[in-house]
Amino acid sequence: MSQFLSPEALCCAPYTPGEQPRDQQYIKLNTNESPYPPSPKVLEVLSRGEAERLNLYSDPTCKVLDEAIAGWYGVRTENVVSGNGSDEILAFALRAFCGRGKGVAYADITYGCYKTWAALFGLESTVIPLREDFTIDVDDYMDFPGTIVIANPNAPTGMLLPASDIRRLLEKDPDRVVIIDEAYIHFGAESLVPLTKEYENLLIVQTMSKNRNLAGARVGYAIGSAALIAGVNRVKYSFNPYNVNRLSMAAGAAAMEDGDYFRLCCGRIEETRGWTTRALENLGFTVLPSYANFIFAKSERLPGGELYRKLKERGILVRWFDAHRIRPFVRITIGSREQMEALVKTITELLQEVCP
Amino acid sequence: MSQFLSPEALCCAPYTPGEQPRDQQYIKLNTNESPYPPSPKVLEVLSRGEAERLNLYSDPTCKVLDEAIAGWYGVRTENVVSGNGSDEILAFALRAFCGRGKGVAYADITYGCYKTWAALFGLESTVIPLREDFTIDVDDYMDFPGTIVIANPNAPTGMLLPASDIRRLLEKDPDRVVIIDEAYIHFGAESLVPLTKEYENLLIVQTMSKNRNLAGARVGYAIGSAALIAGVNRVKYSFNPYNVNRLSMAAGAAAMEDGDYFRLCCGRIEETRGWTTRALENLGFTVLPSYANFIFAKSERLPGGELYRKLKERGILVRWFDAHRIRPFVRITIGSREQMEALVKTITELLQEVCP
């Protein structure tokens, strides 16, 4: 390591993003992108001369975007903060609510960035194992004194924690912040945004990457009490006040306002998820019950790493985590029906090779 | 302050951006934007279907953008890192190179965010006063053991530090990082990017906000030795790996490749800066010698705060800093010739009112 680095930078544990090949030779089912293009309303708003105004700064308050989000959820703009993807928002939130004497708790199997941010901010992390069946036992978190972060549905399992469990966590200690990362909420599950009106200590984080088909625009946001949003903004204005660019701001607002297209795309993905799950189960796979736009699946006949490599050789990218407990699985993004048919066909062939 | 905040967030000192009125009633000379639209090549590349691919993540390595920047400066892509504006890049760099036992030094009068980031990261700050004439005396920094950040040209003065002085700083201690923030370098001064090949400890940070007319796209970057760039990337991948969105990435690369338009716009701004400086001097103003796309000016007859308010009443926004030593001044962005003529006309009228 270089002599230039600070002790804090030396302690970092940088995140490794899923492969993003720049050529187009793969069926890409590894980073949970939507297989559908953005809303036609997004394309329309982007064609309305916003590019010609790129010489002018974007609005640091993100008014247009926050209003669209607030309008969709029936909250006030003081309850919304937008960012350069939900990664930025989550990082701001962890800095706002965690630090000396305020640690963070998260599951052993969950979104990898929680650990990365904890290392970046030098936080004391309490890592709480999922149950054997990959569900979360909220009783394990009940007495934790710091901030709790739960991905719901969880990644990479896709499994959902019931609202009643989250209510119990919120009520146990009203001064303890609970962050619910709802990146994958809109594929059959109910968002807990309405609970932000009841619980001042609940921060909901969402992204437009998956359900609004805008991964490449980098738009995320948090919804919560005015006190929590002010905390996130305190960090935002200390880090990067102009954090959302003009084009993504316009795209995000337009996507938020197009409820019909959102429901259409999410509905299709749910449907395709059902089809894919049944097809893989028919091939002997175990598929965890997913509420997300991906499934987490394993086969006794093809270990995760081998399945990942063989699929890649055949032009299909899925994600494999070489980690304790989840090594047998692969995470498969739900693409279009055609993509999933190609996947199932390829897996069928692979299984025949292994065990003809 | 809320019970939810971490001690670190309580210590923040959030930055206050310049006013960004959303209505169009002002001649806006307060945030150093370019008065010219982005390059026609930017508009062209944005119309080529990139918006339709927004469902796919942007490339976390920013290859296309880094290649364009590296190509322009004749460096390798391992010497470049791109970000969501130079604010993000500067924040990453300060986290990478400053921390426990590695403080930061900057001038008393300079870009306000250095102080903000130092507070966010809990850094020990050494604030070094400019000389009486607002120049930087590098001898004051010579023995400083931590990281040095210098805006060159400085903001809000616009004044330039000679390369020979920066060489002395770099040579004094090759293990000490020197960050030169060249946000305003392209309006008559020479960038020190070529020195990054000689000095492993030099990080140059630039932005496309001013000279490439892309403030609203949020594109900034750093150029330096592979060791320094790896350090910045270490923080980037610990904070927000997908930090540049698809549209800004394409826009930034296209802007970088259009050298003719860049030279045309910067040349015009230099010319208009000369005209405006002479006009204000004719009205009795003191104007600091600026190499930036703004000037810092004061009149004995109209104190800074009063001038700012009276101009705002008349529909012209400039920036006034209510701070020690610079209170008599206003910072005026160089807009189009027409805008500056309107400014000079209005100031002439104001002076006649004050002292007919």
Side-chain angles (χ1 to χ4, degrees):
Chain A
M1 263 309 133
S2 133
Q3 73 276 28
F4 300 122
L5 287 183
S6 65
E8 289 84 350
L10 282 168
C11 291
C12 280
Y15 183 72
T16 306
E19 294 164 275
Q20 294 290 3
R22 275 171 298 271
D23 49 43
Q24 294 300 310
Q25 63 177 308
Y26 291 102
I27 294 180
K28 219 174 145 295
L29 306 176
N30 69 327
T31 53
N32 299 339
E33 290 145 328
S34 169
Y36 305 115
S39 154
K41 300 231 160 79
V42 168
L43 303 181
E44 194 194 317
V45 79
L46 288 177
S47 70
R48 270 191 228 141
E50 195 65 6
E52 287 156 42
R53 288 184 287 272
L54 282 177
N55 55 311
L56 303 178
Y57 276 102
S58 49
D59 169 19
T61 71
C62 300
K63 187 166 184 284
V64 170
L65 181 55
D66 288 358
E67 281 175 354
I69 296 162
W72 178 262
Y73 280 111
V75 298
R76 300 162 63 113
T77 52
E78 67 179 27
N79 302 114
V80 180
V81 55
S82 295
N84 184 32
S86 63
D87 281 348
E88 188 187 66
I89 290 291
L90 283 161
F92 288 167
L94 288 178
R95 177 70 299 176
F97 309 123
C98 302
R100 281 188 304 280
K102 288 199 172 200
V104 61
Y106 48 84
D108 63 337
I109 297 167
T110 191
Y111 184 36
C113 277
Y114 307 150
K115 183 181 163 188
T116 298
W117 292 314
L120 176 66
F121 299 136
L123 304 180
E124 197 178 313
S125 290
T126 300
V127 177
I128 298 180
L130 299 181
R131 291 194 189 97
E132 199 56 44
D133 65 358
F134 296 110
T135 55
I136 289 171
D137 184 347
V138 286
D139 285 322
D140 296 339
Y141 294 78
M142 213 49 90
D143 296 321
F144 180 73
T147 294
I148 294 169
V149 192
I150 293 176
N152 197 40
N154 197 13
T157 64
M159 293 168 77
L160 191 72
L161 187 64
S164 54
D165 276 354
I166 292 169
R167 277 186 186 273
R168 283 174 56 217
L169 276 182
L170 291 163
E171 282 163 10
K172 177 69 196 298
D173 178 358
D175 288 340
R176 172 178 66 185
V177 177
V178 177
I179 300 173
I180 304 294
D181 178 355
E182 291 192 340
Y184 299 105
I185 196 65
H186 297 100
F187 304 97
E190 283 287 313
S191 168
L192 296 187
V193 164
L195 296 194
T196 59
K197 294 183 182 178
E198 283 179 62
Y199 299 101
E200 203 190 5
N201 56 334
L202 170 62
L203 191 78
I204 301 285
V205 177
Q206 296 188 349
T207 168
M208 298 203 192
S209 293
K210 291 87 172 61
N211 63 73
R212 303 273 173 176
N213 316 359
L214 284 181
R218 317 304 304 115
V219 183
Y221 52 93
I223 299 176
S225 61
L228 291 187
I229 297 302
V232 176
N233 267 320
R234 197 170 164 80
V235 177
K236 165 186 154 147
Y237 283 99
S238 295
F239 181 83
N240 197 3
Y242 295 90
N243 62 332
V244 181
N245 72 87
R246 275 184 171 266
L247 300 174
S248 297
M249 187 115 50
M256 209 66 202
E257 283 160 1
D258 193 353
D260 289 343
Y261 188 74
F262 158 76
R263 279 180 287 264
L264 178 73
C265 294
C266 292
R268 274 198 199 157
I269 288 167
E270 269 187 75
E271 203 179 291
T272 311
R273 183 182 65 207
W275 180 88
T276 310
T277 301
R278 286 187 298 275
L280 290 181
E281 284 173 348
N282 287 341
L283 293 172
F285 273 76
T286 301
V287 183
L288 299 188
S290 173
Y291 282 83
N293 70 336
F294 57 80
I295 51 177
F296 206 47
K298 69 169 177 179
S299 160
E300 299 302 325
R301 294 190 285 162
L302 264 176
E306 201 179 328
L307 179 54
Y308 157 74
R309 279 186 297 271
K310 284 183 184 292
L311 283 172
K312 188 172 177 182
E313 281 165 22
R314 284 160 180 80
I316 299 177
L317 278 184
V318 299
R319 190 142 192 204
W320 174 58
F321 299 90
D322 188 7
H324 181 53
R325 293 179 70 189
I326 56 173
R327 205 166 274 122
F329 289 82
V330 293
R331 191 194 68 187
I332 305 169
T333 302
I334 303 301
S336 66
R337 177 65 178 256
E338 297 67 35
Q339 289 176 317
M340 304 321 279
E341 285 172 359
L343 171 86
V344 169
K345 182 165 173 283
T346 305
I347 290 179
T348 306
E349 290 162 9
L350 290 176
L351 289 172
Q352 279 164 351
E353 279 175 28
V354 177
C355 175
Chain B
M1 262 309 134
S2 132
Q3 73 275 30
F4 300 122
L5 287 183
S6 65
E8 289 85 349
L10 282 169
C11 291
C12 280
Y15 183 73
T16 306
E19 296 163 272
Q20 294 290 5
R22 276 172 296 269
D23 49 44
Q24 294 298 313
Q25 63 177 310
Y26 291 102
I27 295 181
K28 219 174 145 295
L29 305 175
N30 69 327
T31 54
N32 299 339
E33 291 146 328
S34 169
Y36 305 114
S39 154
K41 301 231 159 80
V42 168
L43 303 181
E44 194 194 316
V45 80
L46 288 177
S47 70
R48 269 191 230 144
E50 197 64 8
E52 287 155 42
R53 288 184 288 273
L54 281 178
N55 56 311
L56 303 177
Y57 277 101
S58 49
D59 170 19
T61 71
C62 300
K63 188 168 184 283
V64 170
L65 181 55
D66 287 359
E67 281 176 354
I69 296 162
W72 177 262
Y73 279 110
V75 299
R76 301 162 64 114
T77 52
E78 67 180 26
N79 302 116
V80 180
V81 56
S82 296
N84 184 32
S86 62
D87 280 348
E88 187 185 67
I89 291 291
L90 284 160
F92 289 166
L94 288 178
R95 177 69 302 176
F97 309 123
C98 303
R100 280 188 303 281
K102 288 198 171 201
V104 61
Y106 48 85
D108 63 336
I109 297 167
T110 191
Y111 184 35
C113 277
Y114 306 150
K115 183 182 163 187
T116 297
W117 292 314
L120 176 67
F121 300 137
L123 305 179
E124 198 178 311
S125 290
T126 300
V127 177
I128 298 180
L130 300 180
R131 291 195 189 98
E132 198 56 45
D133 65 358
F134 297 110
T135 56
I136 289 170
D137 184 348
V138 287
D139 285 321
D140 296 338
Y141 293 78
M142 213 48 89
D143 296 321
F144 180 74
T147 294
I148 295 168
V149 192
I150 293 175
N152 197 42
N154 197 14
T157 65
M159 293 168 78
L160 191 73
L161 187 64
S164 54
D165 277 353
I166 292 169
R167 277 186 186 273
R168 284 173 57 217
L169 276 182
L170 291 164
E171 283 164 9
K172 178 69 195 298
D173 178 359
D175 288 341
R176 172 178 65 187
V177 177
V178 176
I179 301 173
I180 303 294
D181 178 356
E182 291 193 341
Y184 299 106
I185 196 66
H186 297 100
F187 304 96
E190 283 288 313
S191 168
L192 296 187
V193 164
L195 295 194
T196 59
K197 294 183 182 178
E198 283 179 62
Y199 299 101
E200 203 190 5
N201 56 333
L202 170 62
L203 191 77
I204 301 285
V205 177
Q206 295 188 350
T207 168
M208 298 204 191
S209 293
K210 291 89 173 52
N211 63 73
R212 303 275 172 177
N213 316 357
L214 284 181
R218 319 302 305 116
V219 183
Y221 51 93
I223 299 175
S225 62
L228 291 188
I229 296 302
V232 176
N233 268 320
R234 198 171 163 79
V235 178
K236 165 187 153 146
Y237 283 98
S238 295
F239 181 81
N240 196 3
Y242 296 90
N243 61 332
V244 181
N245 73 86
R246 276 184 171 265
L247 300 174
S248 297
M249 187 116 49
M256 209 66 201
E257 283 160 1
D258 193 353
D260 289 343
Y261 188 74
F262 158 76
R263 279 181 286 264
L264 177 73
C265 294
C266 292
R268 273 197 200 158
I269 287 167
E270 270 187 73
E271 204 179 288
T272 310
R273 181 181 67 207
W275 181 87
T276 310
T277 302
R278 286 187 298 277
L280 291 180
E281 284 173 347
N282 287 341
L283 293 172
F285 273 76
T286 301
V287 183
L288 299 188
S290 172
Y291 282 84
N293 69 337
F294 57 81
I295 51 176
F296 206 47
K298 69 170 176 177
S299 162
E300 299 301 325
R301 294 191 283 163
L302 265 177
E306 200 180 326
L307 180 54
Y308 158 74
R309 280 186 296 271
K310 283 182 185 292
L311 283 172
K312 189 172 178 185
E313 282 166 20
R314 282 160 183 79
I316 299 177
L317 278 183
V318 299
R319 189 138 193 209
W320 174 59
F321 299 91
D322 188 8
H324 181 54
R325 293 179 71 188
I326 56 173
R327 205 165 276 123
F329 289 81
V330 292
R331 191 193 69 188
I332 305 169
T333 302
I334 303 301
S336 66
R337 176 66 179 256
E338 296 67 35
Q339 290 177 316
M340 304 321 277
E341 285 173 0
L343 171 86
V344 168
K345 182 166 172 282
T346 304
I347 290 180
T348 306
E349 290 163 8
L350 290 177
L351 289 171
Q352 278 165 350
E353 279 174 30
V354 176
C355 176

